[in-house]
Amino acid sequence: MEKYNASEIEKKWQGVWNKNGGDKAVDFLDKPKHYHLVEFPYPSGSGLHVGHCMGYTASDVYARMMRMRGYNVLFPIGWDAFGLPTENYAIKTGRKPSEVTKENTDIFRKQMKSLAYSFDWDREVNTTDPDYYKWTQWIFLQFYKHGYIDNKLVEIADDDTTTPRMAYQAEMAINWCPDCKIGLANEEVIDGKCERCGAQTYKKMQKQWMLRITAYADRLINDLAKTDYLEKIKTQQINWIGKSEGTQINFEIKNDFKDKNFVFLHAYGDNSQGSFWPWLKLEVEKRGGKVYVPDLPNTDEPNIQEQMNFVLDNYKFDENTVVVTHSLGGVVAMKMIPELKVKIDKLVMMATPLHTDLKDKMPRPALDACTDWKFDFEKIKENVRDIAILGDIEDHIVPLSHTREIAEKLSAKYFEKIGQMTHFNNDIEPEVLKVLLDYIQVFTTRADTLFGCTYVVLSPEHEAINNFQFSISNFQEVEEYINQAKKKSDLERTELQKEKTGVKLDGVKAINPINSEEVDVWVADYVLVGYGTGAVMAVPAHDERDFEFAKKYGIEIKEVITTKNKELGIMNNGESRAYTDYGVMINSSSFDGLTSEEGKKKVTEKLKKLGLGEETVNFKLRDWVFSRQHYWGEPIPLIFCNNCAKNKNKELGIMNNGENTIVPVPEDQLPLTLPDVENYEPTDTGESPLAGIADWVEVKCPKCGGKARRETDTMPNWAGSSWYYIAYALNQKEKIKDKKQANIFYENKKELDYWMPVDIYNGGMEHVTLHLLYSRFWHKFMYDLGEVAIIEPYQKRIAHGIILGSDGQKMSKSEGNVVNPDEIVEKYGADTMRSYIMFIGPYDQESAWSMAGLQGVYRFIHRVWNNAGKVADVQDNKEFLSKLHKYIVSVTDDIENFRLNTYVAKLMEINNLIDKLDKISKEAWGLYLQLLSPAMPHLAEELWSKLGQAESIFVSNWPKAEDRYLVDEFVNVAVQINGKVRGIIKADMTASEDEVKGLAQADPIIAKWLEDKKITKIIYIKDKIISFVIQ
RNA sequence: GCUCGGGUGGUGAAAUGGUAGACACGCUAGCCUUAGGAGCUAGUGAGGUAAAACUCAUGCAGGUUCAAGUCCUGUCCCGAGCACCA
């Protein structure tokens, strides 16, 4: 027999397989389907690394076995090719990113073929292919065109500027990497450093596109229950989303109204004694404010000009004036304020109509005629320091669209609440008072400790601090502290966490809503602006951080929770440390004696009654920053049109302030392709390089035909990978490239229904938070759109551990411990590489590379090769067959559960058995080759053909264990004395307990142990153990 | 600090509560030879023995059980992720 020559055999069979193409998935084939997904790689310049090999080999083994078991297997691959490294490389070498990508994918493809990964190459996708990113852009447009309201996806008209969209723009403090010149998502900043280049990042304000992933936060947690992900992957996702249920509590700021003069403007057909005005007047006066409530003239046949003249004649406005309006009173205010010669303090408007198209559609001629309904919003903004707008969610007259638009035009604070009566018509309306008062809103998960609150803390970025400016007597000191805190990066803030710092806001007091106690207000950077409300109630007795802070600044520590079991006396009057566990409420007036669990509920209920709190849910998850200021990404298909904005404002009679209307690129004009450019350098202004390409940026508005500009931001490279598993199921060659299809998802529902969901998704542990979360989010969105029929894209997710260098360190070029798969394949062959990488250790655990271990596998393959010479026309002995058939069962089980290290070990064990045989039958040898074939496809195919088989081993049926070989004649039974194994006896399979007992007692060593002893008990486990308990 | 993993020979590691260390590396001895990064045979947890028997061994301390690497309690160490999340 000739010598085993890996490279020769492997080349030969790869050629044959390429020609036959037996790895293709066939839509609707009458077989059970199996969709096996591996994470597609980013085609970097350095080629496939061993980490890729580990995942791909494991999945290939699985896929090959599933095909042999008669499944219609979809096992696709593609390229996640947008991204910075390619762009940076292109900049450095002066080449096109698309060319570089092509080169790299060619290398990757060749490497994958050299390792015999049985991908369905017909379905290969590339995220940078315009035919592909056409649909990435299409999905983005759907995000732009839809909103998520009341847990439902709704379509939003293009000219609707007020309803919140799934894709929206926000002026964001983004994490700016000065080296990459790019904005990074929070997830991409590790310890304050850029994930890609390691440079120190800082905060920079920039308008960014955001995706409202938080709207789906609850479903992203709950639907995990429908999947079979590894437990630790589920936990990581849940922790990342970080849901916490608690209470939002309002602390009123004291003595707010001392120098304030209030003007209340009542509604159409109302008067100073109507609605909530008498009650509100009382509440304001209680807090020291002066109130003027005019009875507006001709309230049933109003004329706005006449009414505002009446107010102007009877009241002198100044910088301490607060105007409060209800319904039509707001129209009076909006007409009157631009006429004022002074700047007033505050304008608060409830349920104000913007025009006469009202919800109830009742004709109101008097209203139509009362004014021209045109307002100078810019002038109003100029003349008022602070504006708040309140809309009633259940208003039967004024729709929320009115109040929303007013709030937007005035850049005002905006609240949507439910009135006691619709249109806020009740005689007591707590929401109205709340808008008027200054509140600090806090979030807590421990409402049961509210009585122990001894101060309130604001984060340095909290906007209320500026509102209190004039009441804070030490404002300079406060301002200094805030500036210092802002200068600190996130990193420094956390690094310096050993010592908490803060400044008290002198002159400001907050009122604890549960007991009306006054507490101090502090600003401190241990409170984060990004979580909850950016403010907390501090309970030093029962929170470590508050405790530390209170100790340092000598603030009162008030104990309100004691241990359930008082005798334990763990709580030490707050002397040593905070008691943060649950317990029983004390010092909490009528709540005393309640457990923490009960207390949280009862306190929240009470606050709700007072209108000063309600249960809330908070998430750590933030919305997804979706803009990148770079070239090599999908262009965001939106257009800014100034002309459209002018036209719309003219219609509304609103002055133009240079704003733009956003116009989506029409879907039939997708893809919006990247222009060819000379220079890919990002700009210093933070704009994408696309901004410099006039030809591309300047565009005719698809709506009005006027001059308009394109959005120049591109998408992050998480975008294309968020739906690629759908693309595979759609079949690249036939569907995605078909330009006639207006909606590839909907039009190919049948294919998607057949293949989805992905049965097994295999990838790296590093992607189980971000990529997995993002793509699940996109999928749910697609589900809500009706494009896909299944809620969760991935039924099962597994992840492989990383492979370390032979020195036990992470592989890196600088350490010089990188293993190049090409070299291994060249020297030892693909079969050795594949088998070793599975044998290296448990699939999901990290393992260190070992050349010696690789050698061992290489030797094993030689031994298999040599054993082929034993094949003869013989009868195998029964013992061997029995063992072989047991291995069929356990090998199958191992592969199914990704226990691939023991799978390979078992292949070795079988070979060791064959070593001991003189000859082996064709049939038994064939079975062994089939078991080998997923791991060592070339070797198996070669030896299979040497058996005279005409067809490929991969179209053969996976071995089935035959029952007759699984039944043994004899069995080894361990004999235990007091739990210790003292001997082993060979018993007949059919032996009874008594017979086994007899055999055991006949054994000389056992007999010696039992001599003169009393047997108190015998435990007999059939086929396994007989255990004597003796005294 | 919190949440997951994980601590088993000289090494990588196996073990549905039921014979701890499968398989492989390494090592030792021997054989073979076309002298190689080869192959074959035997041995290899520690102690003990001529060989057995036997004793001790799964981070540490307890517990449950006829029987614990495996289950429970506490504790120490290592790794990963999150991290002032109220």
Side-chain angles (χ1 to χ4, degrees), chain A residues 280-464:
Chain A
L280 188 64
K281 185 163 184 274
L282 221 71
E283 289 290 330
V284 170
E285 284 168 349
K286 243 191 339 204
R287 292 169 172 84
K290 290 193 200 76
V291 181
Y292 167 58
V293 199
D295 283 297
L296 296 172
N298 291 321
T299 182
D300 293 327
E301 295 266 317
N303 176 299
I304 300 298
Q305 189 67 39
E306 184 192 15
Q307 294 193 336
M308 66 180 254
N309 286 345
F310 178 83
V311 177
L312 288 170
D313 287 347
N314 288 289
Y315 178 80
K316 196 166 173 331
F317 286 84
D318 62 24
E319 72 276 3
N320 288 323
T321 300
V322 177
V323 175
V324 184
T325 74
H326 181 212
S327 195
L328 194 67
V331 177
V332 176
M334 289 196 292
K335 277 296 186 184
M336 180 172 66
I337 288 170
E339 306 291 321
L340 297 176
K341 298 284 175 286
V342 291
K343 188 167 176 166
I344 65 168
D345 185 59
K346 210 166 179 174
L347 169 63
V348 180
M349 304 203 289
M350 334 292 159
T352 312
L354 184 59
H355 42 80
T356 55
D357 182 15
L358 297 176
K359 212 171 182 177
D360 57 3
K361 301 288 174 198
M362 232 168 66
R364 291 186 179 83
L367 210 60
D368 292 340
C370 74
T371 181
D372 60 359
W373 296 94
K374 290 188 175 172
F375 307 103
D376 187 344
F377 293 109
E378 287 307 306
K379 192 78 192 170
I380 298 173
K381 264 157 84 172
E382 243 173 67
N383 274 356
V384 188
R385 185 186 64 80
D386 184 26
I387 308 174
I389 309 293
L390 182 63
D392 178 14
I393 292 169
E394 291 175 353
D395 203 313
H396 64 296
I397 304 171
V398 178
L400 286 176
S401 58
H402 288 228
T403 48
R404 274 184 199 159
E405 192 160 337
I406 293 171
E408 201 203 353
K409 292 280 193 275
L410 291 175
S411 327
K413 284 182 208 150
Y414 182 58
F415 309 93
E416 287 181 1
K417 299 286 174 178
I418 297 174
Q420 297 294 306
M421 247 164 94
T422 67
H423 199 56
F424 300 116
N425 265 335
N426 202 26
D427 52 358
I428 295 178
E429 288 287 354
E431 294 300 334
V432 172
L433 179 63
K434 268 161 65 183
V435 177
L436 222 50
L437 297 171
D438 272 316
Y439 280 94
I440 294 173
Q441 215 166 45
V442 304
F443 173 76
T444 180
T445 54
R446 291 298 301 273
D448 58 311
T449 64
L450 182 52
F451 283 89
C453 169
T454 52
Y455 61 102
V456 167
V457 198
L458 305 176
S459 63
E461 294 88 347
H462 202 286
E463 55 179 19

Side-chain angles (χ1 to χ4, degrees), chain A residues 14-61:
Chain A
Q14 280 166 25
V16 173
W17 294 332
N18 256 336
K19 226 167 50 199
N20 294 351
D23 305 323
K24 292 185 187 13
V26 184
D27 290 340
F28 315 123
L29 204 60
D30 188 23
K31 281 181 177 182
K33 69 97 185 179
H34 176 76
Y35 185 175
H36 196 107
L37 183 68
V38 286
E39 278 169 1
F40 62 166
Y42 177 79
S44 72
S46 42
L48 213 61
H49 58 73
V50 288
H52 290 125
C53 293
M54 183 163 206
Y56 298 158
T57 303
S59 282
D60 189 55
V61 166

